[in-house]
Amino acid sequence: VISTMRDKSIFLAASALTAAATATYLPSLASAFLLPSATTSFSRNSKIINHPSSAIATAASRRKHLLPLSAATTSSTTTAASSSRTTSEELIPRSILFGNPENTSPILSPDGKYLAYLAPSPDGVLNIFIRDLQSDKSNGSNDKKNDRMITNEPKRAIRSVSWAYDSQTVLYMNDFDGDENFHLFAVDATTIPDGENGEFPTPRDLTPGENIKAQTILLNYRYPDEILIGTNGRNPKVFDMYRCFYKTGELVLDTINPGDVIGWKVEDESFEVRGAVARNEVDSSSTVRIRKSADLINNDSGSNETEWRDVFHFPYGEEGGLLSFCPDNGKTGYITSS
């Protein structure tokens, strides 16, 4: 009984010391973790974090130790902040962080004869430049004095550039004064402009119209004169797929968006829109749809093979979709899923 009472007294005394120590140190710990600079000083000047259980001090001595710590922390924080200040001459110039690159986005033409890239114009706006790799003047050097600027955007920088498969036409997207209605433009890369006299090839707007936005630009080397483009020309809320014959500018409606499709997939050999990803606005789930053909002319079985059918469903929180069709005329495909 005496032993039990003694152990109980020791337990109560230890509990009291623990409670006192907790009441003393919790505010200091909170301030230490809220202030990063204070955390460094606290861990350096105090033994609380790596405190051995046998070195428990009284609450009074701990409180006595912590009072000068707060003052020292505040003082060291102020001193560190004042010593880390820089003058305006030491700041990184804004042009280094946000200025134009010297050149960027190089891309070879499909036939390997030309190099297109983006670089600032004399006015400091990113435009498209062409280097003729077959010319004797280039001779494999990095000298850009013989490169030609084929666009002359005065305000809005061009951010993307690509080649059509004819190796003569350069495609790019741009909006109008920052309205974010990006159109697809085509410009002849083989025309030699007289830039000194202000003459440049005239870019052709392949997706004309007010408040039109283009996206999902698809090309196929088997069909070098065609482009599949997604635009909201028919309905501002959804993007249909159009087949564009970019040399003439003809734009033909190819696939109508029923209203819930957020992405399209194209079968490679036929260059037809055969896959779609639909999003359910109620539960944010997504569904993969496919069709056997995009044209009734290819319907040999007598059934309507142009109708869409659901093949896979992804509930909210699960990632996945149709990756691509297999090279078997689109009879099978690859689907990813988390």
Side-chain angles (χ1 to χ4, degrees), residues 112-133:
K113 295 181 180 180
Y114 299 96
L115 175 71
Y117 64 92
L118 299 176
S121 66
D123 296 329
V125 181
L126 285 180
N127 275 271
I128 301 175
F129 288 75
I130 297 294
R131 177 175 297 184
D132 186 354
L133 300 179

Side-chain angles (χ1 to χ4, degrees), residues 15 19 77 88 92 102 105 128 136 151-152 194 208 211 239 250 266 268 287 313 334:
S15 300
T77 302
S88 58
I92 299 175
E102 183 178 348
S105 304
I128 301 175
D136 295 334
T151 60
N152 189 26
D194 187 2
N211 297 323
F239 286 82
E250 182 183 4
V266 173
D268 192 49
T287 301
H313 182 74
Y334 297 100

